[in-house]
Amino acid sequence: MTSKTVNLSGGFVFWTLSGNTDHTIMSAGFSQLNLSRYCPEKNTEGGALKAALIKTFGGRNIDVKSIQRGKGYGVAQYDGTRVGDGRYAPLFDVMLPKGSTKIDFLSPETGEAIENEPANANEARKRFWRELDCIPLNKLASSLVRVVKHLGGIPLRDNGGVYWLPEDSLKIWDGLSLVLKHSSEVGKTNKLYRVQTNIDPKGVEAIMDALTRTTLGELKTLEDDIKGGSIGKRAMESRREKASKLQDRVKRYATILGTTLTDLEDACEDTDQAAAMAILATFGS
């Protein structure tokens, strides 16, 4: 590896997520930024119902569990007078609506509709319909990780959380920040952050280490899939495409850092060629 003095500009990016995100607004924003393929999916009916029940009735003594193989949820309250596994006393069951917009609160014993519904029953119904167009936090977080990767970002820690983005990607990140702000639930803190920096030699070293660690780790996963021989031609082509994208990222960082990254480029090329040979081996088989 050879290098020259470089004034490296970019930014550290991270986020905090704690509230609902409107899928309709988010989808429109992702489309405007040409990021549609990375837009997270909205809640399933089951996810929306569980979220509505937890937000309406949830508390430290309340348990919401899936029943009848995911067709509904049972809500129970902790009872210290009970023993064993039955310390939670069932309050009511709520089933996913079938062909209607009505959500019934049922007796856990009889399965019949409860005459005296919980005080917040209608609030739970309203929340359910709102939750159907919301994005779960786990899906939103996964989407942001994929966007960072698409923009050429690299995680500075093994478990993620803080990423470095090249300067030419920060404008898109700022646009995404506005999208998230306008699609977030009022009063909640779904925010994207960035800290723009001019990196000194120690910072360059940290980014180089992160790039090397991340690239080699991703290549190892691809190589294991390729050598395993248990995936088909289409999946193998997908692995080769990923290896090619990793090679492009390494070349991009070589330009940004003003250095040559021959070892990493060669490692990407080796994985790409291994995938190509595996694809050729599928012909005629």
Side-chain angles (χ1 to χ4, degrees):
M1 180 183 74
T2 60
S3 62
K4 60 184 180 181
T5 303
V6 59
N7 181 23
L8 182 62
S9 296
F12 299 111
V13 300
F14 51 98
W15 52 81
T16 59
L17 307 175
S18 65
N20 279 349
T21 306
D22 186 288
H23 181 267
T24 300
I25 298 175
M26 181 69 87
S27 179
F30 268 62
S31 178
Q32 290 180 354
L33 294 170
N34 294 318
L35 296 173
S36 292
R37 64 182 297 186
Y38 302 104
C39 186
E41 297 179 351
K42 58 185 176 182
N43 265 323
T44 62
E45 284 192 349
L49 180 57
K50 184 176 183 179
L53 293 174
I54 291 174
K55 290 177 181 180
T56 305
F57 302 105
R60 60 183 302 178
N61 293 323
I62 297 295
D63 188 34
V64 178
K65 285 188 175 181
S66 174
I67 59 174
Q68 296 188 27
R69 298 182 179 179
K71 295 180 181 179
Y73 291 91
V75 178
Q77 185 172 31
Y78 179 77
D79 184 349
T81 66
R82 298 162 69 98
V83 297
D85 295 333
R87 287 181 176 267
Y88 280 85
L91 297 177
F92 52 82
D93 294 341
V94 184
M95 307 302 292
L96 286 169
K98 293 183 178 180
S100 73
T101 59
K102 186 178 182 182
I103 298 176
D104 290 325
F105 289 77
L106 310 177
S107 165
E109 290 80 19
T110 66
E112 300 294 327
I114 297 175
E115 291 187 8
N116 296 318
E117 292 185 339
N120 294 333
N122 285 332
E123 176 60 26
R125 292 185 175 102
K126 292 176 183 178
R127 279 187 177 273
F128 169 71
W129 297 111
R130 290 199 301 269
E131 291 289 339
L132 282 174
D133 196 47
C134 289
I135 300 170
L137 290 181
N138 64 317
K139 291 184 178 180
L140 178 57
S142 296
S143 171
L144 292 175
V145 171
R146 291 189 295 123
V147 168
V148 167
K149 187 175 180 179
H150 168 69
L151 295 177
I154 52 174
L156 296 179
R157 302 187 303 177
D158 288 340
N159 60 348
V162 180
Y163 302 82
W164 189 83
L165 273 186
E167 185 175 22
D168 57 4
S169 293
L170 294 180
K171 185 176 180 180
I172 296 178
W173 184 258
D174 290 343
L176 190 60
S177 178
L178 289 175
V179 171
L180 187 62
K181 176 181 178 181
H182 291 297
S183 60
S184 296
E185 186 177 6
V186 175
K188 300 296 183 179
T189 54
N190 285 350
K191 290 185 178 181
L192 304 186
Y193 301 94
R194 73 169 172 91
V195 180
Q196 195 158 2
T197 58
N198 288 317
I199 303 296
D200 61 14
K202 286 293 185 181
V204 172
E205 181 181 2
I207 292 172
M208 283 288 299
D209 288 348
L211 176 67
T212 301
R213 182 178 64 251
T214 301
T215 302
L216 292 179
E218 293 183 55
L219 288 175
K220 177 65 166 57
T221 300
L222 294 178
E223 289 168 0
D224 289 345
D225 289 343
I226 293 167
K227 293 176 181 178
S230 59
I231 60 177
K233 178 183 175 183
R234 182 173 296 180
M236 196 68 72
E237 289 173 343
S238 173
R239 302 307 189 274
R240 187 181 185 189
E241 181 182 354
K242 289 180 180 179
S244 178
K245 288 182 178 180
L246 287 176
Q247 191 171 30
D248 289 341
R249 185 177 70 181
V250 170
K251 290 179 179 178
R252 180 183 182 187
Y253 270 83
T255 300
I256 292 172
L257 296 168
T259 187
T260 59
L261 300 171
T262 305
D263 291 345
L264 278 183
E265 289 187 33
D266 288 347
C268 293
E269 179 65 22
D270 289 344
T271 303
D272 177 79
Q273 291 303 312
M277 295 300 294
I279 292 171
L280 288 175
T282 64
F283 286 98
S285 61

